[in-house]
Amino acid sequence: AQKVTQAQTEISVVEKEDVTLDCVYETRDTTYYLFWYKQPPSGELVFLIRRNSFDEQNEISGRYSWNFQKSTSSFNFTITASQVVDSAVYFCALNPMDSNYQLIWGAGTKLIIKP
Amino acid sequence: NAGVTQTPKFQVLKTGQSMTLQCAQDMNHNSMYWYRQDPGMGLRLIYYSASEGTTDKGEVPNGYNVSRLNKREFSLRLESAAPSQTSVYFCASSILFPGLADQETQYFGPGTRLLVL
C-alpha cells in the first residue's frame, strides 16, 4: 500500500515553543520523493521542502528543520521558536516513482500558535 | 513570473449549470494537475496531464472534463454542476526532467472557491 499518515489532526502551542509535526509513510518503492506543504488561513498551498529517498540528511532552513528516517519511514517537521505566522495546516506528501505522477497526500495537521 | 494562475477566484453556480475553470503556468512545466479540497480534508486529484496532448484520470474524475490547451494552459470543466462539487479547486504544475533540483515538485495556484446551490 502507498499511504501517508499524519496522526496529529491538530496541535496547539504557545508562541516560542518548539513543535514537531509527524509524518509516516508507506511505499513499496525504493525511489520516491517526500514533500511538505503549508496552507495558511489565506488558503494557498506553499511548497516547503522536497526530499529524495536516497538523501537521508536532515535539512534545516531557518527555524524549520526536517528529520528523514527511512528505518522508521518517517519525515518529521520541526518548527523551532514558533511564531503566530506559523499557524497553518501542514501537509506531508509522497511521490512514489511508479505513481503516474500522483502525489499521495496526508490528511494534514492544523497547527495553532497562540500569542 | 506569475507562477500558476487560476480564474475565477470565486464562483457560485446553480445545480445543472456548466462552467470552466482556467489554469495557466509560466514556468515552462510539462505536467499539470487539478485537485479538489473539501473542508478538513487533504487534496484529491481529479485529472492530470503529464505532457501537452495527454490527460489522465485521477482519484475523483467523475463529473469533470479537462483540456490541455497548450503547454501553459489546463482547463477543468463541469458540464452539469452538482452540490457535491462544492469545493476549493487547485491547479498545480511540475516539471519532470531527471536531474533538475525541483523535479516533480508541484507548485500550486491560489485556488478557486466553487459553491453549487
Side-chain angles (χ1 to χ4, degrees):
Chain A
Q2 318 251 43
K3 185 179 177 183
V4 174
T5 302
Q6 294 181 256
Q8 304 151 308
T9 305
E10 183 173 308
I11 300 174
S12 180
V13 301
V14 176
E15 198 172 22
K16 298 184 183 176
E17 287 185 11
D18 299 348
V19 58
T20 296
L21 310 182
D22 297 333
C23 173
V24 175
Y25 62 94
E26 295 175 34
T27 181
R28 57 181 173 269
D29 295 332
T30 56
T31 303
Y32 50 89
Y33 292 108
L34 292 162
F35 302 84
W36 276 95
Y37 284 85
K38 174 183 180 179
Q39 187 172 41
S42 52
E44 71 270 27
L45 279 153
V46 179
F47 164 71
L48 294 177
I49 189 171
R50 181 192 80 151
R51 175 61 73 213
N52 183 305
S53 57
F54 295 116
D55 181 2
E56 286 194 71
Q57 283 192 357
N58 291 333
E59 175 109 3
I60 298 175
S61 176
R63 296 183 296 105
Y64 294 175
S65 62
W66 290 269
N67 183 303
F68 176 33
Q69 293 198 346
K70 288 179 77 171
S71 61
T72 55
S73 295
S74 65
F75 186 42
N76 296 337
F77 173 32
T78 297
I79 301 175
T80 303
S82 60
Q83 300 177 1
V84 172
V85 294
D86 296 327
S87 296
V89 179
Y90 291 86
F91 292 97
C92 180
L94 165 70
N95 186 352
M97 294 303 284
D98 70 346
S99 67
N100 292 327
Y101 316 110
Q102 297 190 39
L103 281 177
I104 298 164
W105 293 84
T109 296
K110 183 175 183 179
L111 178 62
I112 300 168
I113 310 296
K114 298 177 185 175
Chain B
N1 189 343
V4 181
T5 57
Q6 292 182 235
T7 56
K9 286 187 169 57
F10 181 71
Q11 184 73 46
V12 179
L13 291 179
K14 294 181 180 178
T15 298
Q17 287 185 319
S18 62
M19 80 162 293
T20 299
L21 282 64
Q22 305 287 352
C23 174
Q25 53 89 12
D26 62 1
M27 297 179 283
N28 202 32
H29 286 174
N30 47 349
S31 298
M32 297 185 73
Y33 312 81
W34 275 106
Y35 291 90
R36 60 177 290 172
Q37 184 180 32
D38 299 305
M41 296 182 68
L43 282 81
R44 292 186 292 171
L45 183 66
I46 304 170
Y47 271 93
Y48 66 97
S49 170
S51 61
E52 190 178 352
T54 69
T55 60
D56 284 284
K57 295 178 181 179
E59 182 185 353
V60 289
N62 291 344
Y64 305 95
N65 285 302
V66 290
S67 295
R68 183 74 183 266
L69 304 169
N70 48 54
K71 190 172 186 180
R72 290 187 63 249
E73 299 172 289
F74 188 37
S75 63
L76 177 72
R77 182 160 179 84
L78 287 70
E79 291 291 351
S80 179
S84 61
Q85 294 178 305
T86 292
S87 189
V88 180
Y89 291 85
F90 287 98
C91 177
S93 70
S94 68
I95 191 160
L96 296 175
F97 194 91
L100 281 182
D102 65 347
Q103 168 173 234
E104 298 198 52
T105 299
Q106 293 187 18
Y107 293 93
F108 287 80
T112 295
R113 293 183 178 275
L114 176 65
L115 174 62
V116 183
L117 301 175

